[in-house]
Amino acid sequence: MHISMSILADQFALNFSYLWLIVIGTTIGIIIGAMPGFGAANTIILLLPFTLAVHVDVALIFMISLFVASHMGGGITSILLNIPGNGGAAATCLDGYPMARKGLGQQALVLSFVSSTVGGMVTAGLSIFLLPYISRLAYYMHSVEMVVVLLFGITLIASVASDNMLKGLIAGFLGLLIGAIGADHIYSTPRATFGFIELYDGVPLIAVLIGVFAISEALTMMESSSVLSDKGRELMKQAGWKETWEGVQMAFARTWHMIWTSLVGLVIGIIPGAGASIAAFVAYQQSRLFSKTPEKYGTGIPEGVIAPESANNGCSSGDLIPLLVIGVPGGTTAAVMLIVLTYHGVQLGPRLFIQNPGMGYGVFVTMMVAYAVMLFTTLPLTRYVSRLVLIPTTVLAPIIIAFTLVGAFAPRGYMFDLWLTLVFGVIGYLCRRTGYNVVAVLIGVILGPMLEANVMRALRISGDDPLVFFSSPVGNVLWVALACSLLIPSFAKWRRNRAALASA
């Protein structure tokens, strides 16, 4: 499965010959990534007639370009409007939007684009040369290990709710309850569906995402004339190319931060079914854990934007590794790609790297080229895109509601989803008005069903023995890491308080 330099050179030449196609794919990807509900999977499905009609190399280059661009595009609306374009960009809202409100939206966008590019290129490059080794990670991550990984993400509820722990835990618990709606994972018994068949598969994530973030944010916007503070408005009006360069410097001053958080995304992305949402939240939680100033997270700091964006885009390489190596798609978009590649007669799995190694490794080459193209096309636009927040809220809020409701309808085509989105919009608005953290609600909705499914699966396999959660060496290492991540912040806080008392 090792690659030769000649194959690598041929793949770079092939991708540069289709540079025009990569530009088209990345442009579409960034646009649909910034629109909640219009994911890469839905877009590729709509464009199936094109991908099935063209040569397999053309189809693959186009799909990969669109896929990675959608990861980057999700951060645009997260930063400017507090509305994540997809689940992986939800964690970016925590610090990206506060930066935008302070008039630093241009710098925040640059941080997002640069960290996305670095994270995506680093993990794609590592995947090319270390694919035989990192692909084995998927074999060691079973239900027990996934339970601990998901608990890493759920502990972020306590972090984002540090201002009011009780309200944060209540919001997280509400999210877990919402995530439990639908048929259970073992006996398919419906729970809290109230007779609605549309809820048997669970509450659609897009409806929750759009409701608690987009609709509630639009309702909140209507209470003021501008998204920005007075000082932030003045800064935005004076912003120019200097702010773009300032954002680039801020990003590369934290190069190591971009690299290690992207590796978190790569590792989690390799696990089938994990996805960018878990990767972004876990990376944010770990970034906050190892920070010397954890209390600044959530107030608008560069590290809070870099961590989730690097992990989100680092996950894009990991998502495709199970598809290529063992023929199991790591996510929805990878499953659609599987359909296209199977139609073209491509045999995925270990045999792919024997019969057609160029195609197997070419996926990651396309990623690297696509990220480089996106960086040079998006950076000059940050100066103009960031001015979106200068639009009066009386104009902006109705546009947001109209576009996001279309996004809520698009995935399943049910009118029921529109009403559900509006219900969650009201719930999200009430949460914001009463001080309950909507991010904590979303974490519960995203991670709760995954946690339940893995807990139940592990217990069923072990004959309902709870000690199964401590039976795996890898799992036990993760348990120790989880305990340390919970205890270290408390110990550090105790030391700071002790030092403060001693100096006083």
Side-chain angles (χ1 to χ4, degrees), residues 119-129 266 317 364-365 367-368 371:
M121 292 187 77
V122 165
T123 52
L126 282 174
S127 299
I128 290 173
F129 295 104
L266 175 64
S317 295
F364 304 107
V365 173
M367 283 186 174
M368 295 181 74
Y371 275 114

Side-chain angles (χ1 to χ4, degrees), residues 409-423:
F409 177 79
R412 303 201 302 176
Y414 295 161
M415 280 300 296
F416 178 83
D417 290 358
L418 290 182
W419 294 111
L420 196 63
T421 301
L422 291 173
V423 169

Side-chain angles (χ1 to χ4, degrees), residues 116 196 207 253 285 394 448:
S116 295
F196 292 110
Q285 188 260 353
T394 50

Side-chain angles (χ1 to χ4, degrees), residues 336-407:
V336 180
M337 291 184 188
L338 174 63
I339 295 169
V340 175
L341 293 174
T342 304
Y343 175 85
H344 283 288
V346 178
Q347 189 172 359
L348 297 167
R351 193 173 294 275
L352 173 67
F353 294 90
I354 298 170
Q355 296 177 342
N356 194 353
M359 179 175 292
Y361 289 104
V363 167
F364 304 107
V365 173
T366 301
M367 283 186 174
M368 295 181 74
V369 176
Y371 275 114
V373 167
M374 283 190 290
L375 184 65
F376 288 109
T377 53
T378 54
L379 277 186
L381 297 176
T382 54
R383 178 181 177 183
Y384 309 103
V385 175
S386 60
R387 293 182 177 272
L388 180 69
V389 292
L390 292 172
I391 299 173
T393 54
T394 50
V395 176
L396 198 58
I399 293 173
I400 289 171
I401 292 173
F403 270 96
T404 53
L405 284 178
V406 173

Side-chain angles (χ1 to χ4, degrees), residues 476-492:
N476 291 338
V477 171
L478 291 172
W479 278 117
V480 172
L482 178 62
C484 290
S485 71
L486 294 173
L487 294 174
I488 287 173
S490 301
F491 179 70

Side-chain angles (χ1 to χ4, degrees), residues 43-59:
T43 309
I44 293 174
I45 289 171
L46 290 174
L47 295 172
L48 272 179
F50 168 73
T51 54
L52 296 178
V54 297
H55 189 270
V56 64
D57 288 336
V58 176

Side-chain angles (χ1 to χ4, degrees), residues 137 140-142 144-145 148 471-480:
L137 281 173
Y140 295 102
M141 301 300 288
H142 306 115
V144 172
E145 292 79 10
V148 193
S471 62
S472 160
V474 176
N476 291 338
V477 171
L478 291 172
W479 278 117
V480 172

